[in-house]
Amino acid sequence: MDSDWDIRARRVRVGGQLSEEVRVTSGVPQGSVLGPLLFLTYVNDIWRNMESLFADDRNLQKIINNEDMEKLQKDLDRLGEWAVEYAMKINPSKSKAIRFTRARVEDPLNYSLMDTLIPEASSCKYLGIILRSGLSWADQVNYTVKKAWKALHFTIRILKKE
């Protein structure tokens, strides 16, 4: 590592005003080649003592039976403890709890992360696909059709100009 990482300063421009320089003493510069590798090294042990499956960097998933609800909450508690231990900021209010089932379920999901209740949602977007709790594809189909119509209208406008 060269000295560029030791002596970094940043400033911000808002409108026409430029702020004073502030030294940055931690973190990895965005866009660096080593950034993703260093981040993965940093979070490598996040899985320790967890029973649930992490699908990617932001999803905690588990097939839940009634007795498994406590296990998932314990994993959320461990995730919160890990975040505190490693000074990783997690914003629980940006989280969603969603139950995928065709069965009629009355009991609300009561999961929390870092003492913040995770709100229950009826749908979520995952890897670009809209998933609905009732396992319906209607939201995804409507979104895709709307997107296709926009592309078609854009293409027609361009062709009419020529």
Side-chain angles (χ1 to χ4, degrees):
M1 309 250 201
D2 63 22
S3 62
D4 289 347
W5 283 42
D6 296 333
I7 308 166
R8 289 183 291 141
R10 296 290 180 256
R11 48 176 34 174
V12 178
R13 181 184 311 270
V14 178
Q17 299 286 343
L18 193 60
S19 71
E20 295 291 322
E21 276 194 0
V22 176
R23 280 192 63 198
V24 179
T25 58
S26 65
V28 177
Q30 281 191 321
S32 70
V33 175
L34 283 177
L37 180 62
L38 291 173
F39 178 75
L40 288 174
T41 303
Y42 185 68
V43 299
N44 187 42
D45 73 335
I46 198 169
W47 327 113
R48 122 192 109 173
N49 300 322
M50 288 207 177
E51 295 182 30
S52 300
L53 166 69
F54 273 83
D56 65 14
D57 65 335
R58 59 191 184 124
N59 288 296
L60 183 60
Q61 302 178 140
K62 184 168 184 63
I63 296 175
I64 300 287
N65 299 319
N66 288 338
E67 62 273 2
D68 291 330
M69 294 177 86
E70 287 182 27
K71 290 179 183 178
L72 181 56
Q73 182 57 57
K74 284 181 183 175
D75 283 347
L76 288 166
D77 294 340
R78 287 184 191 112
L79 177 61
E81 291 164 7
W82 179 91
V84 169
E85 182 180 344
Y86 287 88
M88 178 68 71
K89 291 182 181 175
I90 296 177
N91 189 345
S93 65
K94 290 186 177 181
S95 299
K96 293 180 190 177
I98 188 165
R99 176 188 341 226
F100 296 104
T101 183
R102 289 187 186 265
R104 213 174 143 108
V105 181
E106 301 295 324
D107 300 334
L109 296 174
N110 290 310
Y111 294 110
S112 62
L113 178 60
M114 302 171 76
D115 298 322
T116 301
L117 185 67
I118 297 173
E120 190 169 356
S122 59
S123 67
C124 67
K125 199 167 191 179
Y126 180 64
L127 299 176
I129 298 173
I130 300 170
L131 302 173
R132 189 137 195 80
S133 62
L135 303 173
S136 163
W137 289 103
D139 292 348
Q140 177 63 33
V141 170
N142 290 337
Y143 172 76
T144 304
V145 167
K146 186 177 178 180
K147 202 170 163 185
W149 274 111
K150 283 182 180 180
L152 178 63
H153 287 296
F154 178 74
T155 305
I156 290 171
R157 273 197 343 244
I158 289 175
L159 291 174
K160 281 184 179 180
K161 287 182 180 179
E162 293 178 0

